[in-house]
Amino acid sequence: MYCTCTPLSSEVADALDWELFVCKVGDRPMPKSVILKGASDEVIDLPYLFWCLRSTHETLIVDAGASLADAQLRDFRNFASPDSLLAQIGVDASAITTVLFTHLHYDHFSAWGAFPAAEFLVQGEDIEFFTGIGEHYPSLGSAGGNPHEIRELDSAGRFSRLGGCRDIRPGLRVHHVGGHTPGSQVVEVLVGGTSAVICGDLADTYDNLVQRETPPDALNRIDAVLAIDRILALVDGKIYRALVSHDPDHLQHLTSVGKQVWQYLPERVQESLTARA
């Protein structure tokens, strides 16, 4: 069902190199136990992120972030809109033509309106889930994007359904892994000549990877565990090459380039993590 293609690092000579930026739409105070099974109930400020990929040819977005309405509903702190964050690195959100969604939970999807010209690339299983059983059983789909919006976007032809592992651009590939949601995918991208992986919510924190322990909210725990193994294989076991989604510590290892905007520079992340070990 899920892809098993080789890592991009074995094909570096044929690929583009990308810049990778991390943008934070806000924080939400939550117990650490919501992202790591067995962790304490210590309250931490969970960051809510999306990512920007830039090559010499184009700029793409990975996830859209949370909308203002969802941020207010869930008491986010320090909210910043996706377009304002991208403007800090010279990117016009209204001109973006491609957005990749790791999955369709609200915090990764609901600010889709910031990208009016974009085609949305997603695994079809998430569309079917959030407009099907996930809509009818709120305990399964409660963190999903608005099913009516998903249905309308699908009817309008805004979604492009991907099937498993796909090369999106040279040096940019998605891997359908499931687990967190039926259509969850991770995004592999060449940065500085080596493969980095945007984990979506398959790994919320570095500890998910180090301990090989899935976040507690995985819909299919078996697939989620296998997804962690897949991520570790793609990064050759080097944690610094993984970009996790809700870990405040992760941001400490990135290079600040604006307010709530960072650049991922693999050698600097490696040095920072090594110094902290």
Side-chain angles (χ1 to χ4, degrees):
M1 178 180 179
Y2 302 119
C3 58
T4 57
C5 51
T6 58
L8 282 171
S9 55
S10 65
E11 305 158 13
V12 171
D14 301 321
L16 294 174
D17 206 53
W18 296 79
E19 292 181 303
L20 198 168
F21 298 92
V22 181
C23 303
K24 183 178 75 171
V25 297
D27 303 286
R28 189 181 180 196
M30 298 285 282
K32 189 173 182 179
S33 56
V34 305
I35 59 172
L36 182 67
K37 185 178 179 181
S40 72
D41 288 331
E42 171 196 3
V43 174
I44 60 175
D45 288 328
L46 262 63
Y48 287 79
L49 310 174
F50 70 96
W51 300 266
C52 175
L53 306 178
R54 186 164 62 189
S55 75
T56 54
H57 299 283
E58 66 178 316
T59 300
L60 290 80
I61 302 300
V62 177
D63 289 339
S67 67
L68 174 61
D70 273 318
Q72 291 176 333
L73 181 65
R74 292 166 171 87
D75 296 322
F76 276 37
R77 299 173 179 172
N78 306 310
F79 177 78
S81 65
D83 55 322
S84 68
L85 294 168
L86 291 169
Q88 295 182 60
I89 52 173
V91 174
D92 179 1
S94 68
I96 293 294
T97 58
T98 303
V99 176
L100 293 164
F101 285 112
T102 61
H103 63 295
L104 295 181
H105 278 157
Y106 82 90
D107 53 315
H108 297 256
F109 166 74
S110 66
W112 60 267
F115 306 98
E119 174 187 26
F120 299 142
L121 307 186
V122 64
Q123 296 290 333
E125 286 85 346
D126 257 23
I127 297 174
E128 305 308 324
F129 174 75
F130 286 112
T131 59
I133 191 172
E135 179 180 8
H136 296 295
Y137 292 89
S139 62
L140 295 177
S142 59
N146 185 317
H148 303 293
E149 290 183 349
I150 294 173
R151 196 174 287 112
E152 289 174 4
L153 287 169
D154 194 29
S155 296
R158 295 289 300 277
F159 286 124
S160 180
R161 285 171 162 81
L162 303 175
C165 179
R166 286 286 188 91
D167 289 324
I168 305 301
R169 301 287 190 275
L172 178 61
R173 176 179 291 165
V174 298
H175 301 261
H176 179 204
V177 293
H180 181 67
T181 66
S184 284
Q185 58 185 350
V186 299
V187 179
E188 184 185 12
V189 57
L190 288 180
V191 181
T194 59
S195 184
V197 174
I198 298 171
C199 300
D201 281 355
L202 277 308
D204 289 339
T205 169
Y206 285 132
D207 287 336
N208 293 129
L209 298 172
V210 172
Q211 300 177 24
R212 295 178 68 198
E213 178 61 65
T214 69
D217 58 352
L219 277 177
N220 185 318
R221 189 165 172 78
I222 293 174
D223 286 345
V225 170
L226 294 175
I228 286 179
D229 285 348
R230 182 71 180 141
I231 292 167
L232 290 170
L234 290 172
V235 301
D236 195 26
K238 297 177 174 65
I239 301 299
Y240 74 90
R241 287 165 50 186
L243 288 100
V244 295
S245 58
H246 293 294
D247 189 345
D249 181 63
H250 171 58
L251 300 177
Q252 305 301 314
H253 305 294
L254 305 177
T255 300
S256 178
V257 294
K259 186 176 181 181
Q260 297 182 199
V261 183
W262 296 263
Q263 186 171 5
Y264 168 76
L265 299 171
E267 69 284 354
R268 293 190 183 179
V269 176
Q270 182 182 22
E271 291 171 2
S272 179
L273 283 169
T274 301
R276 289 275 297 275

